Amino acid sequence: MIRLEKRPQPSQLWTVLTPVLAVLLTMLVGGIMFAFLGTDPLEAIRTIFWDPLFNPQFAGFTRPQLLVKAGPLILIAIGLSIGFRAGIWNIGAEGQYIMGAICGAGAGLAFYPADSVLIFPLMILCGALGGFAWAMIPALLKVRFGTNEILVSLMLVYVAENLLASVASNLLRNPEGMGFPGSRNFKQWPAAHNAELISGTGMHWGVAFAFIAVILAYVLMSRHIQGFNIRLTGEAPRAARFAGVNPARIVILCLGISGALAGMAGLFEVTGPAGQISIDFNSGYGFTAIIVAFLGRLHPVGILLAGLLMALTYIGGELAQLMLGVPGAAIQLFQGMLLFFLLATDVFTNFRLSLGRKEPA
Amino acid sequence: MADPLLRLRGLTKAYPGVIANDDVSFDIGTGEIHALLGENGAGKSTLVKMIYGLVAPDRGEMRMNGAPFAPPRPSAARSAGVAMVFQHFSLFDALDVAENVALGMEDPPKPRDLARQIREVSENYGLPLDPSRLVGTLSAGERQRVEIIRCLLQDPRLLIMDEPTSVLTPQEVEILFETLRKLKSEGTSILYISHKLEEIRSLCDTATILRLGKKVDTCTPAEKSARELAEMMVGASFATPEARAHDPGAVILSVSNLSLPAPGAFGTPLRDITFELRAGEVLGLGGVAGNGQDELLAALSGERLAPAGTIRLDGQDISRANPVARRDAGLLSAPEERLGHAAAPNMSLIENGVLTAARREGLVSNGLISWPKARAFAEKVIAQFDVRTPGPGTAARALSGGNLQKFVIGREILQRPRVLVVNQPTWGVDAAAAAAIRQALLDLAAEGAAILCISQDLDELMQISDRFGALNEGRLSTIHPVAGLSIEKIGLMMGGAHDMEVAHVAE
């Protein structure tokens, strides 16, 4: 008989091994799926994982996309991972991302067409505040009334989406846009444009902030007492209380950080790659970042790698749709498998398989 | 005489590091109310779990009406006629009484029939209960009735009740006893687990006393005095303690009129607790589990804030201070529950050192933790308190209970507290380690710290305390010097509010 046996302590080896194993299993099962769809599995996997970076024909276009896509994913996932470590499940980063974009863009557009170097920093600040404020709704409700932050933050995503549709066609609509919904295009307003910092790399301010966030989160979680308190709250809430950690403060801190980072990501996106507030400028980064956070083992460096990998499957997935005619749903399934296999293999971090019969208890 | 209903012979069950039941044999007769009496950790629950099919004995056999009885799982025990009412109920608040009863049955009858049956049983046995009421609206006593009726509908031959009166008001206790007597008159046997001596003397026909997993005696409780029962429960070895030479210093900690509401459904409110703790002394607080021990520790550690002015350390009011501020002021504590409360199971010993010692040991500067210092501190605790572990990087949950306890106590002692509050410092710890922990506490007191030791081990309290008090339903008895305390007096102190009044008058 096969049994799972709890390890005396989490296996270091498996913590590192599970993401790799999950990727390999996804390739394997995904390959079988592609075969059933009538696509050559090897070619599909090569198109998804290899071509975006190294295909001589389109790597020049797709390679910068890697950072463009990975930047917001990493920035959001870093914030989420801090909360997840504390057992605070912010599922509504998508909403905070939208609100950050709206607030940051709105703050900037209020000064249009001014040409000050202060405008872009102000927009970043307002973007962060917008996401922060949106995250404070579930935070304060949880602290005050004990509501479930998963439900509240998730439902606020849909509120934010409707707000986005509203401001795109009313409040922030481009007055010179001939009545079409959508704000002014930031690409045509240098003071507010989140331009590429190094040409041809996809590196913009959002990516830079993502890298900074990785470093700061690493220091916070591994060296700082607040990070210790956050981990302690997640591991053993009663022990945290005993240690003197104020649970309400941890809720506010975690949701605040993740909201602010998601808001910033939204602002960088709307002023950069997206270019304008439009009805549906958000593209699900806030939800995908949840997968990235777990794929990266909630560890900053892991998230950095996971964000790049996830971005790769996005770009590669689009490429596969384009080149091989694979349906979009199959690509989403492929990405979903990644999380599925990660969670499945994760069991082995804390348990080991043991063969043989269990002696009667 | 015919075969008894249930005959237990040589039942033995060992868990890693502790023998929960050691060669226990006794009989439960038909139509008998049989008490199972013993302190916490005496092995009562393990024994009952074996009868109910939750754990299998390592050795020994059970016979029911002469036939071998070895239920592999609770459903087998139930079909053999064994029913059990647990101390903590398993009921759904949002469902009504009938639905809850149906959920616990193997194959429930139609809802309408069931409601009728519930009404019948509740009238027959004097347990008023409306089958259509939502369980969420019921009192603790009424919830227990739901559990009892669920058992009675299965026509049990043996009904096991695990500390049924711990959640009941005195009036509800009377109703329960009537029901149990009626069941007995109809030939149902009852195994009644409790450590309330008076209850057992008035209700039970026979009593089996367990101590440290072994059967001490089976007797007729009505023929014994409460004192004799208590002596058997805590051990015949009980010797009147002698005064420890000590020189009490100034009052360090003073608690006055501390009252706090119960933290949850199964918590105990603290009622008007007042005591003083002097430098160099050990105050021992006894009492049966669940009488406010955890709540008192939480109020002192700062996990729950107390009303202003109730807790003073060196004359400073710290009742509204958080745990960090209290630690800074020198009030340290070690809760009973090691895993999850005193220590985080998945974190290393190094990290668990930081848990309480971060500031007092200077492991943190400018908010940054110095991991080398934290490791050194953990290593110091491990070395000085003989914690058996592969290294300080080991997760707390990988340690045995005794070793983790040594780490937890050592972690606090090495921080040189002014006041140390410990709850069950040697619970589940082997004898050598327990002796080491007690000695460490005494050494700490000798250096001038004040120690509050909450424990259910009377021997331990008599051995290390200078003064002794008991907690009962969240109240603290009068505190007496340990020297010259008799077991009878201790029994009265532990025995409840009514006895306490008598004790006051007698003084």
Side-chain angles (χ1 to χ4, degrees):
Chain A
M1 210 170 82
I2 300 172
R3 262 181 332 118
L4 283 175
E5 205 170 68
K6 197 163 166 95
R7 292 178 192 274
Q9 52 185 321
S11 159
Q12 292 284 329
L13 176 70
W14 276 97
T15 310
V16 179
L17 210 59
T18 45
V20 179
L21 200 63
V23 171
L24 291 177
L25 280 169
T26 307
M27 285 185 180
L28 184 71
V29 179
I32 293 171
M33 177 184 74
F34 287 130
F36 272 113
L37 290 169
T39 314
D40 177 8
L42 285 179
E43 198 186 349
I45 286 164
R46 203 200 63 216
T47 310
I48 295 173
F49 288 101
W50 182 263
D51 283 356
L53 296 178
F54 303 109
N55 185 304
Q57 202 184 332
F58 22 71
F61 168 71
T62 49
R63 209 179 290 147
Q65 284 294 310
L66 189 69
L67 285 183
V68 169
K69 299 252 189 229
L73 285 177
I74 294 170
L75 193 56
I76 300 170
I78 287 286
L80 292 180
S81 71
I82 292 172
F84 292 169
R85 280 289 192 88
I88 294 159
W89 308 101
N90 178 6
I91 303 298
E94 184 78 3
Q96 294 138 23
Y97 170 87
I98 293 172
M99 293 312 286
I102 294 177
C103 292
L109 288 171
F111 293 97
Y112 184 84
D115 187 23
S116 160
V117 289
L118 293 177
I119 284 184
F120 193 58
L122 174 80
M123 290 170 75
I124 297 177
L125 183 70
C126 289
L129 284 176
F132 175 85
W134 207 243
M136 276 307 105
I137 299 173
L140 294 176
L141 286 175
K142 183 181 177 70
V143 168
R144 187 76 187 80
F145 300 108
T147 57
N148 183 322
E149 77 280 10
I150 299 177
L151 293 177
V152 177
S153 64
L154 178 62
M155 288 192 290
L156 282 171
V157 172
Y158 306 106
V159 178
E161 279 177 351
N162 281 304
L163 273 172
L164 174 67
S166 163
V167 296
S169 40
N170 296 300
L171 191 64
L172 297 182
R173 193 180 58 189
N174 184 359
E176 292 149 30
M178 298 187 292
F180 285 109
S183 71
R184 286 183 195 278
N185 197 320
F186 292 100
K187 286 177 181 165
Q188 291 152 13
W189 181 21
H193 182 208
N194 174 23
E196 230 179 3
L197 294 175
I198 307 165
S199 172
T201 58
M203 178 86 179
H204 60 69
W205 276 112
V207 181
F209 270 74
F211 289 149
I212 294 169
V214 167
I215 295 165
L216 290 182
Y218 182 80
V219 173
L220 172 72
M221 297 312 281
S222 66
R223 289 291 309 278
H224 201 274
I225 188 76
Q226 274 311 337
F228 177 80
N229 288 343
I230 286 169
R231 286 193 291 132
L232 186 59
T233 304
E235 288 283 350
R238 262 187 99 195
R241 269 198 111 102
F242 172 63
V245 179
N246 182 344
R249 197 175 295 166
I250 295 290
V251 171
I252 303 266
L253 182 74
C254 289
L255 277 165
I257 291 177
S258 54
L261 291 186
M264 272 201 251
L267 181 275
F268 288 127
E269 189 68 15
V270 80
T271 52
Q276 62 170 169
I277 291 274
S278 58
I279 287 179
D280 52 358
F281 99 94
N282 62 309
S283 43
Y285 282 135
F287 289 121
T288 311
I290 299 171
I291 304 181
V292 171
F294 280 106
L295 197 60
R297 324 298 304 135
L298 304 182
H299 187 283
V301 177
I303 288 170
L304 178 68
L305 299 174
L308 291 169
L309 176 73
M310 197 46 101
L312 185 63
T313 66
Y314 261 78
I315 301 160
E318 276 172 28
L319 214 55
Q321 284 183 57
L322 203 68
M323 307 296 295
L324 307 172
V326 176
I331 298 297
Q332 285 177 6
L333 207 59
F334 189 77
Q335 286 158 350
M337 270 182 212
L338 203 54
L339 182 66
F340 173 82
F341 281 118
L342 181 78
L343 295 176
T345 50
D346 199 30
V347 171
F348 297 108
T349 310
N350 279 308
F351 292 87
R352 65 172 147 240
L353 274 185
S354 89
L355 300 166
R357 287 191 58 83
K358 187 186 177 188
E359 72 239 54
Chain B
M1 198 182 139
D3 277 329
L5 175 73
L6 186 66
R7 164 166 289 184
L8 310 177
R9 282 295 173 268
L11 282 184
T12 302
K13 174 74 198 173
Y15 290 111
V18 58
I19 298 180
N21 282 139
D22 189 358
D23 196 20
V24 177
S25 309
F26 63 93
D27 296 339
I28 302 172
T30 305
E32 174 185 82
I33 304 186
H34 194 115
L36 197 53
L37 186 62
E39 290 187 299
N40 265 52
K44 293 172 302 198
S45 332
T46 307
L47 188 66
V48 166
K49 280 180 188 164
M50 289 193 281
I51 300 175
Y52 196 57
L54 283 165
V55 296
D58 295 339
R59 268 202 309 282
E61 63 157 5
M62 296 183 276
R63 283 178 169 273
M64 185 173 265
N65 286 330
F69 174 66
R73 66 192 77 85
S75 59
R78 278 198 294 270
S79 57
V82 179
M84 179 156 176
V85 176
F86 289 91
Q87 195 176 1
H88 296 260
F89 311 135
S90 43
L91 298 173
F92 295 93
D93 281 359
L95 299 180
D96 69 25
V97 170
E99 287 164 334
N100 266 292
V101 169
L103 275 176
M105 296 176 84
E106 301 293 321
D107 69 303
K110 289 203 193 81
R112 204 161 24 135
D113 296 345
L114 184 63
R116 188 178 45 77
Q117 286 177 16
I118 291 174
R119 252 188 223 105
E120 273 172 23
V121 172
S122 73
E123 276 163 26
N124 276 344
Y125 293 97
L127 294 170
L129 196 60
D130 177 358
S132 60
R133 266 185 68 191
L134 277 187
V135 163
T137 66
L138 301 180
S139 73
E142 288 170 316
R143 283 166 197 239
Q144 188 182 55
R145 280 179 214 161
V146 180
E147 295 268 11
I148 294 175
I149 284 173
R150 177 146 79 189
C151 290
L152 293 185
L153 284 175
Q154 297 162 9
D155 258 336
R157 286 188 286 175
L158 175 66
L159 179 63
I160 304 172
M161 306 211 65
D162 189 2
E163 299 195 16
T165 56
S166 56
V167 294
L168 300 185
T169 65
Q171 291 76 11
E172 288 173 327
V173 170
E174 264 320 301
I175 297 174
L176 175 68
F177 282 8
E178 283 307 310
T179 308
L180 296 183
R181 290 198 182 100
K182 183 155 184 357
L183 278 170
K184 167 192 149 123
S185 71
E186 292 172 358
T188 308
S189 307
I190 293 157
L191 184 60
Y192 187 92
I193 302 165
S194 179
H195 32 220
K196 297 190 179 165
L197 303 175
E198 284 308 324
E199 262 177 22
I200 286 173
R201 288 189 61 219
S202 73
L203 180 72
C204 300
D205 306 307
T206 18
T208 292
I209 296 125
L210 292 181
R211 175 169 156 81
L212 302 175
K214 291 199 173 102
K215 186 180 94 164
V216 180
D217 195 12
T218 298
C219 63
T220 307
E223 291 170 1
K224 304 274 180 187
S225 68
R227 177 204 158 120
E228 283 170 312
L229 289 175
E231 262 179 6
M232 283 194 271
M233 204 164 100
V234 298
S237 64
F238 189 89
T240 304
E242 287 172 27
R244 188 168 63 89
H246 86 290
D247 189 11
V251 172
I252 301 187
L253 181 74
S254 79
V255 174
S256 49
N257 306 106
L258 169 63
S259 296
L260 264 184
F266 293 112
T268 309
L270 295 178
R271 305 179 219 250
D272 211 19
I273 288 187
T274 300
F275 65 89
E276 282 184 340
L277 204 52
R278 291 174 178 275
E281 80 164 344
V282 180
L283 171 60
L285 291 190
V288 170
N291 272 296
Q293 285 91 338
D294 290 349
E295 289 79 2
L296 178 60
L297 184 123
L300 291 175
S301 72
E303 282 167 83
R304 289 183 75 205
L305 298 183
T310 50
I311 304 173
R312 287 175 190 280
L313 185 69
D314 292 322
Q316 293 280 39
D317 184 7
I318 56 159
S319 12
R320 306 299 298 165
N322 64 27
V324 175
R326 292 188 196 199
R327 270 189 203 109
D328 287 352
L331 172 57
L332 271 53
S333 53
E336 171 183 3
E337 186 72 40
R338 297 179 277 258
L339 279 180
H341 195 184
N346 289 327
M347 290 179 135
S348 70
L349 294 182
I350 301 174
E351 290 169 303
N352 272 299
V354 176
L355 190 82
T356 66
R359 286 161 64 103
R360 282 185 78 83
E361 291 293 311
L363 308 180
V364 173
S365 60
N366 296 326
L368 291 180
I369 301 168
S370 160
W371 288 116
K373 279 189 194 168
R375 171 179 283 269
F377 176 69
E379 277 167 352
K380 198 164 116 189
V381 177
I382 290 168
Q384 292 202 14
F385 286 82
D386 188 30
V387 180
R388 309 277 163 79
T389 163
T394 312
R397 74 161 197 245
L399 268 66
S400 74
N403 274 309
L404 185 56
Q405 185 67 16
K406 285 194 276 187
F407 181 84
V408 166
I409 298 278
R411 174 182 74 188
E412 306 304 328
I413 287 181
L414 280 190
Q415 296 179 53
R416 292 172 309 281
R418 303 212 53 219
V419 179
L420 179 62
V421 183
V422 290
N423 189 4
Q424 297 273 65
T426 61
W427 194 81
V429 176
D430 65 76
I437 289 174
R438 288 180 195 132
Q439 192 55 49
L441 291 174
L442 289 175
D443 291 347
L444 185 67
E447 286 163 21
I451 292 170
L452 179 67
C453 178
I454 306 171
S455 176
Q456 281 151 52
D457 183 343
L458 278 179
D459 289 345
E460 168 173 285
L461 290 177
M462 291 305 121
Q463 190 191 331
I464 66 171
S465 312
D466 303 306
R467 292 189 299 147
F468 175 84
L471 282 167
N472 189 288
E473 292 176 1
R475 285 191 191 84
L476 181 60
S477 71
T478 343
I479 292 171
H480 296 280
V482 163
L485 263 187
S486 66
I487 185 82
E488 204 150 43
K489 195 158 186 176
I490 292 173
L492 287 174
M493 288 165 80
M494 287 168 58
H498 178 69
D499 294 339
M500 246 172 59
E501 313 289 72
V502 178
H504 283 302
V505 177
E507 267 171 58

